[in-house]
Amino acid sequence: AQSVTQLGSHVSVSEGALVLLRCNYSSSVPPYLFWYVQYPNQGLQLLLKYTTGATLVKGINGFEAEFKKSETSFHLTKPSAHMSDAAEYFCAVSSTGATNKLIFGTGTLLAVQP
Amino acid sequence: DAEITQSPRHKITETGRQVTLACHQTWNHNNMFWYRQDLGHGLRLIHYSYGVQDTNKGEVSDGYSVSRSNTEDLPLTLESAASSQTSVYFCASSEAGAHEQYFGPGTRLTVT
């Protein structure tokens, strides 16, 4: 069975500081990995995805994530936080099989302090 | 532009009533999904469909049903609403064979 663990339900950074949101996954088959962002009172928006190929994935709004198979991790980073980055972030895993289902982590709420 | 919409955006209902939440997508996606979002649980899959007349149970399907009579719509029905079903409900869709899903804006349901 697949699962996702997001370490830290709340993360607070200063504007301009590095953002690091942690995600570890469990999967018995090669995974597809995703990060979604949810702004208040909105649906989820895809930030970036890893399927195959390059392990460093770049997404929208300056975010990127690196797939590390040996560590079963897919941490999300951004070099310099903006106030507009304040949101909830969800990591998700899907199997490379035909089912297309996503398993989500419990989310990390990012606060950006001025 | 193609989109996915949900209605109503907010709903208050009483325990025991039947409630239907609508989801409509104009992406022409084969796959559609319903999730509920609760604090501390992230998003949990309720039901999903891979095409017309196809429906499948997800992780938390008890008390919910769906039907898929066309490509665009996947309504979610709570047969007899319970207070434990107070939540925010999200609909999503994806292309056949694709894994990334596109989400609607959500419906906040309160069962009193």
Side-chain angles (χ1 to χ4, degrees):
Chain A
Q2 296 175 303
S3 65
V4 174
T5 301
Q6 290 185 241
L7 294 175
S9 58
H10 292 79
V11 170
S12 182
V13 300
S14 298
E15 193 173 18
L18 171 72
V19 175
L20 171 61
L21 305 183
R22 300 179 185 273
C23 172
N24 288 88
Y25 70 91
S26 171
S27 178
S28 58
V29 296
Y32 291 166
L33 294 159
F34 304 84
W35 277 100
Y36 282 85
V37 61
Q38 184 182 30
Y39 299 102
N41 299 313
Q42 295 187 25
L44 278 71
Q45 178 182 359
L46 182 64
L47 262 183
L48 49 79
K49 64 180 180 182
Y50 167 79
T51 53
T52 58
T55 57
L56 182 62
V57 180
K58 295 187 184 297
I60 62 172
N61 301 336
F63 284 93
E64 62 183 36
E66 186 171 10
F67 170 61
K68 292 187 176 181
K69 184 178 179 181
S70 61
E71 299 177 7
T72 61
S73 69
F74 191 57
H75 301 330
L76 182 70
T77 60
K78 182 174 180 178
S80 176
H82 292 184
M83 297 296 291
S84 60
D85 295 326
E88 190 155 23
Y89 293 80
F90 292 93
C91 182
V93 63
S94 177
S95 74
T96 51
T99 61
N100 309 91
K101 291 188 291 183
L102 292 178
I103 306 298
F104 284 88
T106 53
T108 297
L109 187 62
L110 175 66
V112 182
Q113 307 299 329
Chain B
D1 286 346
E3 60 178 355
I4 181 166
T5 57
Q6 294 183 235
S7 61
R9 294 293 313 276
H10 301 271
K11 174 78 175 177
I12 299 174
T13 192
E14 294 177 345
T15 301
R17 290 192 179 268
Q18 183 181 81
V19 177
T20 297
L21 309 183
C23 175
H24 179 80
Q25 53 98 3
T26 58
W27 297 98
N28 200 34
H29 286 167
N30 282 354
N31 305 333
M32 295 185 73
F33 307 83
W34 273 105
Y35 296 88
R36 59 177 290 172
Q37 183 179 27
D38 303 288
L39 203 61
H41 290 278
L43 278 81
R44 293 180 290 176
L45 184 63
I46 305 171
H47 282 286
Y48 58 102
S49 168
Y50 290 139
V52 176
Q53 302 301 330
D54 176 73
T55 62
N56 305 278
K57 294 181 178 181
E59 178 188 1
V60 290
S61 61
D62 287 349
Y64 304 94
S65 64
V66 294
S67 61
R68 188 90 180 269
S69 59
N70 58 52
T71 300
E72 297 80 17
D73 299 290
L74 187 69
L76 177 71
T77 297
L78 287 68
E79 302 294 343
S80 177
S83 57
S84 60
Q85 295 176 308
T86 293
S87 186
V88 181
Y89 291 86
F90 287 98
C91 180
S93 69
S94 69
E95 293 182 38
H99 291 254
E100 62 266 31
Q101 296 177 16
Y102 298 90
F103 283 78
T107 294
R108 183 174 297 275
L109 177 67
T110 302
V111 183
T112 62

